């Protein structure tokens, strides 16, 4: 675990993570907590036993420069987390280091100019977000040219995007001149983008949907806590009335031809004034089929710890990706897909725990 100079392209010309100069290697480790979050900034906390911190490490930390130092966390020699150090605390018995991941910089920068001529006509929304992140970290033209420090950190080198399939022209995206880069990125994400910080990259992509292939499969045996399977009949029904369309308030009924009275879902009203009764019946059919028979749901507790044998490496725990979870050892086997929304890792001398939290998949756009 190391502390390095900021990730930047300042007056020294550094422009990548690998060229960062080491400030110190941390000694006297007691515990480490870090994580990854979907569309949010994660944090890391490192606790050192003060009596076991080397003299060289103490001297280095005494020269602390907030924001201009990065904390690097390694796991089995693999870099798994990086971000600026914001606070140091000394309690008499320990030294505590607080850091946030690289997306913390987004709250400190504003876009120099919104999307424009550098993008093709009607660009992909992920490309727009990527372009604007680059624009947030170039030198502001209103500043003197000699102030090279204003170009740090070098976010363009660590920003990556995957086309989302969402076109800018299909949105009504409007960005405020008074907002910072984080606020504008969140505004863009409202139209179907995911963003997350993964190690030393800010990744932008379309939201994982029910039609997205799974990046990994986990079973109940891969979790250190029990999983639940539920059949949610409370939201199910056998019939639905669809109002609207060309016939106005005359509903079209769809139900599953059962030999018992139908159980209605909430009536559905469509906005179209031209939809035919046949079209409305198809809508009713699709709604009922999604809700009857009762959906089998796999419930994974928030922060559920993975077992050491779980078949997914730390590099594969990318927030926003689809992960399927299956439970076979039940009266009714079930499987479900989720978006990974949070990873929480805790390490101490007693061992390591890797916890995951999932969010529902969205419907395809």
């Amino acid at each position: 675990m190391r502390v390095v100079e900021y990730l930047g392209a300042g007056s020294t010309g550094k422009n990548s993570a690998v060229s960062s100069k080491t400030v110190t290697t941390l000694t006297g480790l007691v515990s480490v907590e870090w994580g990854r979050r979907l569309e949010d900034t994660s944090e890391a906390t490192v606790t050192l036993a003060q009596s076991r911190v080397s003299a060289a490490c103490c001297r280095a930390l005494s020269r602390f420069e907030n924001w201009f130092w990065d904390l690097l966390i390694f796991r089995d020699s693999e870099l798994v987390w990086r971000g600026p150090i914001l606070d140091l605390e000394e309690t008499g018995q320990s030294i505590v280091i607080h850091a946030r991941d690289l997306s913390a910089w987004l709250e400190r920068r504003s876009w120099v100019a919104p999307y424009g001529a550098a993008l093709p006509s009607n660009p992909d929304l992920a490309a727009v977000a990527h372009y604007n992140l680059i624009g947030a970290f170039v030198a502001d033209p209103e500043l003197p040219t000699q102030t090279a420090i204003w170009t740090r950190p070098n976010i363009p080198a660590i920003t990556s995007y995957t086309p989302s399939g969402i076109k800018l022209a299909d949105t009504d995206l409007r960005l405020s001149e008074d907002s910072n880069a984080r606020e504008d990125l969140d505004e863009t994400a409202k139209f179907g983008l995911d963003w997350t910080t993964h190690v030393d990259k800010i990744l932008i992509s379309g939201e994982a949907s029910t039609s997205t292939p799974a990046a990994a499969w986990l079973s109940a045996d891969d979790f250190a806590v029990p999983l639940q399977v539920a059949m949610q009949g409370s939201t199910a029904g056998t019939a639905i009335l669809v109002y609207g369309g060309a016939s106005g308030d005359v509903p079209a009924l769809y139900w599953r031809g059962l030999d018992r009275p139908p159980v209605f879902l909430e009536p559905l009203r469509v906005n179209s004034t031209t939809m035919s009764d046949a079209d409305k019946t198809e809508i009713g059919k699709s709604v009922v089929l999604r809700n009857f028979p009762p959906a089998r749901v796999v419930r994974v507790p928030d922060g559920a710890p993975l077992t050491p044998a779980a078949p997914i490496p730390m590099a594969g725990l990318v927030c926003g990706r689809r992960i399927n979870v299956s439970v076979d050892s039940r009266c009714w086997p079930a499987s479900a897909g989720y978006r990974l929304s949070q990873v929480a890792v805790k390490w101490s001398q007693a061992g390591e725990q890797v916890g995951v939290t999932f969010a529902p998949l969205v419907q395809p756009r």
Side-chain angles (χ1 to χ4, degrees), residues 94-115:
S94 62
I95 295 174
V96 183
I97 300 171
H98 298 278
R100 302 177 72 193
D101 71 40
L102 293 169
S103 66
W105 277 104
L106 303 181
E107 299 176 9
R108 300 283 172 158
R109 299 291 295 184
S110 297
W111 290 346
V112 174
Y115 49 84

Side-chain angles (χ1 to χ4, degrees), residues 130-349:
H130 171 71
Y131 174 81
N132 283 333
L133 284 185
I134 293 175
F137 290 94
V138 299
D140 192 318
E142 295 182 358
L143 294 170
T145 57
Q146 68 269 25
T147 55
I149 62 170
W150 292 104
T151 65
R152 61 193 181 194
N154 185 19
I155 291 296
I158 62 170
T159 304
S160 176
Y161 78 93
T162 302
S164 65
I166 305 168
K167 295 298 184 179
L168 177 63
D170 296 330
T171 73
D172 58 353
L173 177 63
R174 295 292 184 271
L175 303 178
S176 170
E177 295 181 357
D178 299 324
S179 55
N180 59 44
R182 168 62 187 274
E183 292 170 333
D184 285 334
L185 181 59
D186 287 341
E187 186 66 25
T188 309
K190 291 178 181 178
F191 296 94
L193 291 186
D194 272 345
W195 68 269
T196 189
T197 304
H198 184 72
V199 192
D200 56 357
K201 299 282 187 182
I202 297 177
L203 307 180
I204 304 167
S205 63
E207 294 175 324
S209 72
T210 53
S211 63
T212 302
W217 281 81
L218 296 174
S219 71
D221 294 336
D222 297 322
F223 293 86
V225 295
L227 305 187
Q228 295 180 341
V229 175
M231 290 195 284
Q232 294 186 331
S234 58
T235 61
T238 62
I240 188 168
L241 296 172
V242 185
Y243 291 86
S247 55
D249 286 334
V250 179
L253 168 65
Y254 178 82
W255 68 297
R256 288 182 60 91
L258 303 173
D259 295 329
R260 53 183 178 271
V263 178
F264 283 88
L265 300 169
E266 290 294 324
L268 177 66
R269 186 173 297 277
V270 298
N271 293 325
S272 171
T273 59
T274 60
M275 184 174 291
S276 68
D277 286 348
D279 291 335
K280 290 195 292 184
T281 299
E282 285 301 310
I283 290 178
K285 179 179 179 180
S286 66
V287 171
V288 170
L289 291 180
R290 284 200 306 268
N291 289 274
F292 182 86
R296 295 185 182 184
V297 179
V298 178
R299 292 175 176 165
V300 182
D302 289 350
L306 297 174
T307 65
I312 182 169
M314 187 60 66
L317 292 175
V318 181
C319 289
R321 286 188 178 174
R322 174 174 179 166
I323 295 179
N324 286 358
V325 181
S326 62
V327 180
D328 297 326
S329 56
R330 293 286 192 274
C331 292
W332 46 84
S335 64
Y338 298 97
R339 296 158 72 203
L340 181 63
S341 64
Q342 186 174 346
V343 179
V345 181
K346 297 180 180 180
W347 176 91
S348 68
Q349 295 176 349

